Amino acid sequence: MRSGSGFDETVDANWWRQATVYQIYPRSFADADGDGIGDLPGVVSRIPYLKSLGIDAVWLSPFYPSALADGGYDVDDYRNVDPRLGTLDDFDEMVAALHEAGIKLIVDIVPNHTSDRHEWFKEALASPEGSPARERYIFRDGAGPSGCEPPADWESLFGGPAWTRVREPDGTPGQWYLHLFAKEQPDLNWDNREVRDDFLKTLRFWSDRGVDGFRVDVAHALAKDLTEPLPPKAVIDATLPHGSHPFWDRDEVHDIYAEWRQVFNEYHPPRTAVAEAGVPAHRRPRYASADGLGQAFNFDLLMADWDAAAFRRIIEENLELARASDASSTWVFSNHDVVRHATRYALPNGTDLHAWLLGGGADPQPDKEQGLLRARAATLLALALPGSVYLYQGEELGLHEVTDIPADARQDPAFFRNPGVEVGRDGCRVPLPWTVTGPSFGFGDGKAHLPQPDWFGQYSVEAETKDEASTLRFYRKALELRRRLQTSEELQWVERTDASALHFVRPGGWHSITNFGTEPVELPAGTVVLSSAPLSEGKLPTDTTAWLV
Ligand code: GLC
């Protein structure tokens, strides 16, 4: 066993259970070479910032060579670095520098599909039907007399058909391949031993380089039952329960992760993993089990209305589910796929965010002040919970969604595959503002790869570092205080007469209270160590969380 640069006998194998993990979307974080695209040396240059923020780990979204048909989730080569982002040496330097700063590194792994530029896919296209090269993917003959219809009427998650027809090496129209996402993301065939072995090699490749864990993209899609005849979409959608769906959340997927776990356990401390699995809550524990990936994302708060009862139900249910697999829960409000939570909370509960973005983000008008108030209150609440909290770059600045990206600057395949229906996810992926002014607000020396709005400077790291009341200063304080809560995983609810407040106590008599209502509420006796907004005459105002000891 090679230990990699992360080797340290004294490292706690449970470090992940209550970690604060900061997601870096590398192409939009910091651009060291001025080409408009963030890179690994950019990450290294901002390690002092990450350290001062007080996070425990970074989750790095894909940094692999990619044509960016899906923001890097279309991987050309799993064991390399996109030359625009750096080299493997830069990667090693980044790992060493993060570890030196006491920060762990989790990397994204994308096992459901490669890109269509992956050497396996190129080989599959150049090889005949039924060849071993095609067996690594999911190729089928088309329906209809000349095979000109897709094998089934399934839709891609980004809109449009989930099957694309290829030209055979002799130039004639030929077979179809499955892509649950964009057509540039052909799905792999996980029944193929070579595919499985190659991913084990990839897990070891990065683990040997000192990576501490993996975030597993669309973890619930790998196992597929594609026995003919393929069921039509209507049948799949209407009748099949989870566990027997032809591609989502099949029970056999866990055999794959049992093999991965053996690889993780070859290392000290064992490598960790977190599943991105869009499954019903009760199906989550298997992904999060100790003989599987160990942890699974819970996106329930990310989708919940701003409502005390909804938050309480979700928290109770997820703590219970985490206990069922001896994992710890995860809490997430924002990531690279969703509208930033400061903006979501600026809109009335129940707003259809797709439709709202499509309308240019104007109807209804967002109440940005309320949005930020609620976002801060929600984050402080989550930071008081047992489990790990996943933060998305820029939320510590209170950044809002960018809603006015012109069509010709958009990059998300969801925009191109759904004309007039969706604008996609670019609005939360705009490069971060580091300075008040300057080219790309300090992101780099050149123009950023997605346009930044004029108001970004006010939310820059530079501006917020100077402002004592800023969201950045608030996050720093909260993360520093949270360290005291990371020792135990107990939580006790305090029942209150005012149903609009959520109140719980953590060990050491640490109270967290959130006011979801419209009137200020009384605080219990104790010292307020932090509040997400100023108190009002000693009371907790609306849309505010306070911590007391
Ligand atoms: C995951 C990623 C998303 C990507 C998709 C396909 O949901 O978070 O960004 O588009 O998988 O890889």
Side-chain angles (χ1 to χ4, degrees), residues 227-247:
T227 320
E228 314 266 343
L230 299 175
K233 181 179 178 323
V235 172
I236 298 178
D237 290 353
T239 55
L240 296 176
H242 278 264
S244 55
H245 188 283
F247 41 87

Side-chain angles (χ1 to χ4, degrees), residues 70 73 113 158 181 215 217-218 276 336-337 425 429:
D70 181 20
Y73 285 87
H113 40 264
F158 293 146
F181 294 88
R215 177 264 188 192
D217 190 63
V218 232
E276 186 218 21
H336 67 295
D337 288 331
R425 302 160 293 179
R429 300 175 177 182

